[in-house]
Amino acid sequence: MAQILKVDDIHVYYGSIHAVKGVSFEVNEGEVVTLIGANGAGKSTILNTISGLLHPKMGSVLFEGRDLKGVAPHKIVERGLAQVPEGRHIFQQMTVEENLQMGAYTQPNSTIEPGIADVYERFPRLKERRRQIAGTLSGGEQQMLAMGRALMSKPKLLMLDEPSMGLAPILVEQIFDIIRELHAAGTTILLVEQNAQAALSVADRAYVLETGKISLTGTGAELMASDAVRKAYLGG
Ligand SMILES: Nc1ncnc2c1ncn2[C@@H]1O[C@H](COP(=O)(O)OP(=O)(O)OP(=O)(O)O)[C@@H](O)[C@H]1O
Ligand SMILES: [Mg+2]
């Protein structure tokens, strides 16, 4: 399996706060890899560092073998790395379809219509609501839209930051079903979650993050069965 992402011993600071303390992991083509951890463990900081919004003080991020140091965030999207940020950040005042068009800004115009058709096939709910103002969508629909918008850039790696946040259990299930479908279709995904149960159930491999460091790693199934993970993240 070809390696698509390698995070090598990154340290990330906010001023004097050492938020990420020497984290290393990799993602191979076609895998779903999850980083699980509690509030404040450093999950979003790691994703924001990979997507170029934050800069590591030490260590490196390699995407398809190339160091992303000094590469601007929009150039990183162009190379094929898309992030669905925590809290979704869709364009509230625009329609569903306009949000999808915005997601394709790195793509040639001729591919936008077919791209939108693909997203509507994967998310029929978005097709029904194509003319609706995005800010009036339900939480689950907004998450679908944020994922659809990211897919419009035809990413080689899709990074999802807590897609289950704030959603009712039934919607969490729907979102994870979509992640399973994307995985089955060959999409490579780096998933960050507090919902360890759901994340481990879809992941090929997983890393547990505790206060800025990786404390455990294994397959999704191994970590689901681990006593330490069960006690800390799965309610015993
Ligand atoms: N802009 C910031 N300024 C200062 N400290 C920050 C900033 N953003 C995050 N931190 C701190 O860095 C640490 C890691 O935060 P981060 O947001 O990466 O955690 P997280 O694992 O994503 O948590 P959550 O599950 O709550 O989203 C926390 O201690 C947090 O308080
Ligand atoms: Mg976070």
Side-chain angles (χ1 to χ4, degrees):
M1 244 186 313
Q3 190 176 76
I4 188 154
L5 180 76
K6 181 165 183 57
V7 172
D8 189 16
D9 198 25
I10 57 168
H11 291 255
V12 188
Y13 289 75
Y14 296 100
S16 61
I17 298 167
H18 195 178
V20 173
K21 304 168 184 164
V23 163
S24 302
F25 63 93
E26 66 280 330
V27 179
N28 299 310
E29 232 166 72
E31 279 188 316
V32 173
V33 172
T34 188
L35 289 179
I36 58 172
N39 279 124
K43 304 181 297 298
S44 297
T45 303
I46 291 171
L47 289 199
N48 290 336
T49 304
I50 296 168
S51 57
L53 300 169
L54 295 170
H55 306 290
K57 192 162 192 171
M58 282 188 282
S60 59
V61 177
L62 300 178
F63 184 61
E64 297 188 302
R66 293 160 77 192
D67 197 329
L68 293 181
K69 188 178 167 69
V71 182
H74 70 277
K75 291 284 180 197
I76 293 177
V77 176
E78 275 174 27
R79 287 194 192 182
L81 213 158
Q83 181 178 12
V84 178
E86 186 177 309
R88 291 137 205 167
H89 297 276
I90 54 167
F91 302 106
Q92 300 275 331
Q93 312 297 331
M94 293 184 181
T95 65
V96 165
E97 191 147 311
E98 286 164 350
N99 267 271
L100 295 177
Q101 287 162 350
M102 295 296 283
Y105 75 93
T106 58
Q107 300 293 305
N109 280 340
S110 61
T111 68
I112 294 180
E113 283 307 317
I116 288 177
D118 286 350
V119 169
Y120 285 157
E121 198 173 320
R122 175 126 0 250
F123 302 95
R125 182 68 71 88
L126 295 181
K127 186 174 187 182
E128 284 166 24
R129 294 173 184 267
R130 61 201 291 173
R131 311 259 171 256
Q132 188 169 325
I133 297 297
T136 65
L137 295 172
S138 73
E141 290 163 353
Q142 292 196 16
Q143 182 61 42
M144 290 176 198
L145 178 56
M147 290 168 73
R149 185 182 57 184
L151 289 170
M152 288 296 295
S153 70
K154 302 273 191 297
K156 294 173 187 162
L157 174 62
L158 178 65
M159 301 198 293
L160 304 173
D161 194 344
E162 296 207 40
S164 76
M165 191 166 68
L167 300 184
I170 180 110
L171 286 172
V172 173
E173 247 174 71
Q174 281 182 22
I175 294 294
F176 277 85
D177 283 344
I178 291 164
I179 294 172
R180 283 190 190 87
E181 288 168 22
L182 290 169
H183 184 20
T187 313
T188 309
I189 298 173
L190 175 58
L191 168 69
V192 150
E193 264 295 344
Q194 281 196 44
N195 186 337
Q197 177 84 46
L200 293 175
S201 77
V202 295
D204 297 305
R205 293 188 304 107
Y207 297 86
V208 178
L209 191 68
E210 280 180 57
T211 54
K213 286 187 184 149
I214 287 171
S215 58
L216 267 177
T217 177
T219 65
E222 281 165 0
L223 292 198
M224 192 99 83
S226 129
D227 283 342
V229 172
R230 295 174 75 88
K231 277 209 188 77
Y233 300 101
L234 302 174

